[in-house]
Amino acid sequence: MENPYKRFGAWVTDLKSDLFIWARIKLTALYLLVIAVILIVFSIVIFSDLTYSIRRNIDRRNDATYNPAEETFIEDATESAKASIIIIDACIYIIVGGASYVLAGYTLKPIRKTLEDQEQFSAEASHELRTPLAVMRTDIEVLLRSKQSMPEDVKKVLSSNLEEIGDMSKMAEQLLEISRGQYSKKSQMEILDISQPIKKAAEKLSVIAAKKNIDFQIEKLESLQIKGVRENLERMAKNIIANAINYTPEGGSVAIAVALENNQAKFTVKDTGIGIAENDLPHIFKRFYKADSARTGTENGSGLGLAIVEQIVKKHRGKIKIQSSPNLGTTVSVFIPVV
C-alpha cells in the first residue's frame, strides 16, 4: 500500500504544478486576509462600545460605591459578548471563505479560458505549419540536387533558405510538444525504469558527440523505478544531452549518470562547455529566452528546449537544478521521485 505521507506529498506537488488551482488558493487567501482585518476591526469596535454601554447604564442607576455583584455581572456580560462575537465572526469567516473560493474561481475563469485558447492555437498553428514547411524543404532539396546548372549565388541562397526552413520546422515541432504537454493526462503514466529512456536518448546522440570529438561517457545508470511517460522522459533527456553536446567545444567532455539520492532518481548531465552567465540562470526556463551564451535552446537555438524540459519534469512531480559558470561548464540535475 502506498505511504499516505508520500501520497499527500505527491498531491501537494501536483497542486503546486497546477497554475490556476494555486492562483485560486492564493487569491482566496488574499480575500480572506482582507475580510479578517475588517472583522477584527469591526469586532473590536463593537465589543468596546458594548462594554462601555453596559458600564454606563449600571453607573447611572447606582452611586459610585463599589458593588461586587454588579462587577461580576459586568464581567460575565462582557465575556458572554466576547464569546458571541467570536462565534459570529467564525461563522461569517467560514461562509465568506467558501464565497471567496467561488469568487476567485469566477475571477480566474476568463484568464484560464484565454490561456487554454492560446495553447490550443499554438498547437493547431504548429501542426498546420509543418506541411507547408515540409513542401518548401522538399522543393529546395530537389532544386539543389538537380543536375541543371545553377549560379553559385543562387545555390547559396537556396542552401541558406533550407537551413532556415529546418530551424522553423524544429521550432514548430517544439511548440507542438509544449502545447501537447499542457494537456497530457496522468493516466498516460506507467511504472518504468528511468534509465532506459535516458540510455536510449544517449545512444542516439553519441554519434553527434563522436563527430565533434567529444569524450561522451555514461558513468552510471542505476535501475530505478518511477512513475512516468517513457516518450516524454526520452525527450527530456535528449534535450538536455543535446544542449551539452552542442555547446561543448571539440575535445571537451560530456558525462551522464542516473543514481539514487534521497529517495529520488537523480539524472545528471555534466559538460565542459561554454556555460551560462549567472544573470541568465534565473530566466533560462522561459520560452524563447536566449542567453548571451545561446545555450537555452536545443540544436536550433529556439529557446524552447529547456522550457520543454521543465514542463516534463513538473509533470513527473520532479525538480531541476542547473549549476554553471562561463567557460567552465554546466551541470544539469533532474530529480524525480522513485516508486
Side-chain angles (χ1 to χ4, degrees):
M1 185 175 178
E2 188 178 358
N3 190 318
Y5 295 105
K6 289 183 180 180
R7 193 185 313 165
F8 177 75
W11 177 80
V12 171
T13 305
D14 289 339
L15 185 66
K16 288 182 178 180
S17 63
D18 192 317
L19 175 65
F20 284 96
I21 291 181
W22 193 237
R24 187 176 185 178
I25 291 174
K26 289 196 287 186
L27 188 58
T28 301
L30 180 62
Y31 290 158
L32 287 176
L33 179 62
V34 174
I35 296 299
V37 172
I38 294 174
L39 280 177
I40 290 171
V41 173
F42 184 74
S43 298
I44 291 174
V45 172
I46 292 295
F47 180 75
S48 300
D49 186 65
L50 186 61
T51 304
Y52 175 75
S53 297
I54 293 173
R55 289 187 175 277
R56 185 180 60 181
N57 289 333
I58 291 177
D59 289 343
R60 283 179 179 178
R61 292 182 306 173
N62 303 292
D63 53 23
T65 59
Y66 175 74
N67 190 330
E70 290 179 350
E71 191 64 31
T72 302
F73 171 77
I74 293 174
E75 290 179 359
D76 291 342
T78 53
E79 287 298 324
S80 177
K82 185 189 297 182
S84 298
I85 291 174
I86 291 174
I87 292 172
I88 293 172
D89 284 352
C91 293
I92 292 175
Y93 203 68
I94 292 172
I95 294 171
V96 171
S100 298
Y101 187 76
V102 174
L103 179 61
Y106 182 78
T107 303
L108 293 172
K109 189 175 181 180
I111 302 174
R112 182 167 196 164
K113 181 65 169 58
T114 302
L115 186 59
E116 288 176 351
D117 290 344
Q118 182 181 354
E119 296 291 348
Q120 185 64 25
F121 171 78
S122 297
E124 293 175 356
S126 302
H127 181 76
E128 293 299 324
L129 276 172
R130 290 190 301 175
T131 300
L133 287 172
V135 172
M136 292 169 63
R137 183 172 186 170
T138 302
D139 289 344
I140 293 176
E141 286 176 346
V142 170
L143 280 174
L144 289 173
R145 292 173 184 172
S146 175
K147 295 181 180 180
Q148 296 179 358
S149 60
M150 187 182 301
E152 197 62 31
D153 55 346
V154 175
K155 285 185 178 181
K156 287 182 179 179
V157 172
L158 289 176
S159 298
S160 176
N161 288 343
L162 188 61
E163 291 179 3
E164 294 298 327
I165 290 173
D167 289 345
M168 290 177 65
S169 298
K170 290 175 184 176
M171 187 181 295
E173 288 291 338
Q174 289 183 328
L175 283 171
L176 190 58
E177 287 176 7
I178 289 177
S179 299
R180 283 174 177 168
Q182 294 289 339
Y183 301 101
S184 62
K185 298 179 180 178
K186 295 178 185 178
S187 59
Q188 298 173 328
M189 293 192 172
E190 60 178 333
I191 305 298
L192 54 87
D193 181 357
I194 189 175
S195 65
Q196 295 305 312
I198 290 175
K199 182 180 179 182
K200 190 175 180 180
E203 289 174 347
K204 290 180 179 179
L205 295 168
S206 61
V207 179
I208 301 175
K211 288 181 179 179
K212 290 187 66 176
N213 194 28
I214 289 175
D215 181 18
F216 186 75
Q217 295 182 1
I218 300 178
E219 294 182 342
K220 189 177 186 181
L221 280 182
E222 288 189 19
S223 180
L224 301 173
Q225 300 295 311
I226 68 162
K227 190 175 183 181
V229 182
R230 190 177 303 273
E231 295 79 8
N232 288 351
L233 290 169
E234 184 179 340
R235 184 179 297 116
M236 173 202 71
K238 185 179 178 182
N239 280 354
I240 296 174
I241 298 172
N243 252 358
I245 294 173
N246 289 323
Y247 298 107
T248 297
E250 290 190 13
S253 65
V254 174
I256 71 172
V258 175
L260 181 65
E261 184 176 302
N262 297 327
N263 207 33
Q264 292 181 314
K266 181 183 179 182
F267 166 50
T268 307
V269 178
K270 185 176 182 179
D271 66 60
T272 57
I274 61 176
I276 306 170
E278 185 178 354
N279 59 336
D280 288 322
L281 282 173
H283 311 287
I284 57 178
F285 294 110
K286 295 179 181 178
R287 298 177 190 179
F288 301 107
Y289 180 81
K290 294 185 180 182
D292 292 336
S293 59
R295 63 163 298 157
T296 56
T298 52
E299 312 84 298
N300 59 346
S302 64
L304 291 172
L306 289 180
I308 294 173
V309 168
E310 184 189 40
Q311 185 183 80
I312 293 173
V313 171
K314 283 184 176 180
K315 291 292 181 182
H316 288 77
R317 305 199 316 271
K319 59 183 179 180
I320 182 170
K321 293 182 179 179
I322 296 183
Q323 295 177 320
S324 185
S325 299
N327 302 317
L328 294 178
T330 301
T331 300
V332 180
S333 301
V334 174
F335 300 85
I336 297 178
V338 297
V339 176

